[in-house]
Amino acid sequence: MIDFLLLVAAKLLLGWLIADFLGGVLHWLEDRILREDMLLIGPAIVAPNRLHHRKPMAFAAASLVHRNGTTWIAAASASALWLLAFGPSAVWAGATLGGMLTSMVHYLTHVPPRPGHPLRILQEIGIIQSVAQHAQHHRPTANRRYCVLTSWLNPVLDAVGIWAGLEVAARWLRVPVDAS
């Protein structure tokens, strides 16, 4: 029974990390490739993201739905496609939950829970991203720390140069990359 529970927990965690990675790739696209003048996604997704980088607390004042709506739509869409393609699984459940909570976890990196709060403990062990790690993303000219769900993937992805590699690929494909 313990082996079964450990296997389910490992699969849920794998799904959580998949959500973190995919969210990081989307965040990188928002920051570096997508533009505010793009039809539909520009005003709905890119502009609020860019405002958040100029004024990091801007989104904290927004309503729960405004802060999370596009993330919920993206996560629900990806979850539905995964469900249709592969069926339900613990990995799917972990990825869906992680995807749905990404913006809330991001919010907690800007408005952290008080010391001793269970969410603060999750930040300290890295299951959800810490305030200190997310602050590194907001440094001027920072091109790193795009994953906002956990504190585990960013050090690895930054060390292997994934974001720089994606930018090389984008430039090779003649896709403009935002230098800011």
Side-chain angles (χ1 to χ4, degrees):
M1 182 64 164
I2 296 294
D3 290 342
F4 173 76
L5 293 176
L6 288 174
L7 181 61
V8 170
K11 288 180 177 184
L12 289 167
L13 181 60
L14 175 60
W16 189 260
L17 293 172
I18 289 169
D20 194 24
F21 177 71
L22 293 176
V25 171
L26 290 173
H27 186 179
W28 174 81
L29 284 168
E30 289 174 9
D31 281 8
R32 308 294 285 176
I33 302 295
L34 302 178
R35 298 179 329 272
E36 291 184 54
D37 63 355
M38 293 178 138
L39 186 63
L40 299 177
I41 64 170
I45 297 170
V46 182
N49 179 60
R50 300 284 167 91
L51 173 63
H52 171 65
H53 280 272
R54 290 188 306 274
K55 297 179 180 179
M57 290 304 293
F59 87 113
S63 71
L64 177 75
V65 173
H66 188 263
R67 267 194 322 268
N68 294 282
T70 56
T71 301
W72 291 339
I73 291 167
S77 300
S79 178
L81 289 173
W82 182 333
L83 193 57
L84 287 171
F86 306 110
S89 68
V91 175
W92 164 79
T96 299
L97 181 62
M100 298 297 277
L101 292 176
T102 296
S103 286
M104 282 306 300
V105 170
H106 181 208
Y107 173 77
L108 293 173
T109 64
H110 290 278
V111 184
R114 66 189 181 285
H117 191 280
L119 291 173
R120 185 67 167 264
I121 294 165
L122 293 176
Q123 284 179 325
E124 290 170 7
I125 61 176
I127 292 174
I128 63 174
Q129 190 171 67
S130 71
V131 173
Q133 188 178 108
H134 184 65
Q136 294 175 29
H137 175 72
H138 281 281
R139 288 185 179 152
T141 68
N143 184 18
R144 60 188 187 151
R145 305 288 196 228
Y146 288 101
C147 299
V148 297
L149 188 58
T150 75
S151 289
W152 297 336
L153 291 184
N154 282 319
V156 175
L157 296 174
D158 292 350
V160 300
I162 186 119
W163 313 117
L166 287 172
E167 291 191 11
V168 167
R171 287 185 178 103
W172 184 80
L173 293 169
R174 301 195 189 289
V175 174
V177 177
D178 187 344
S180 61

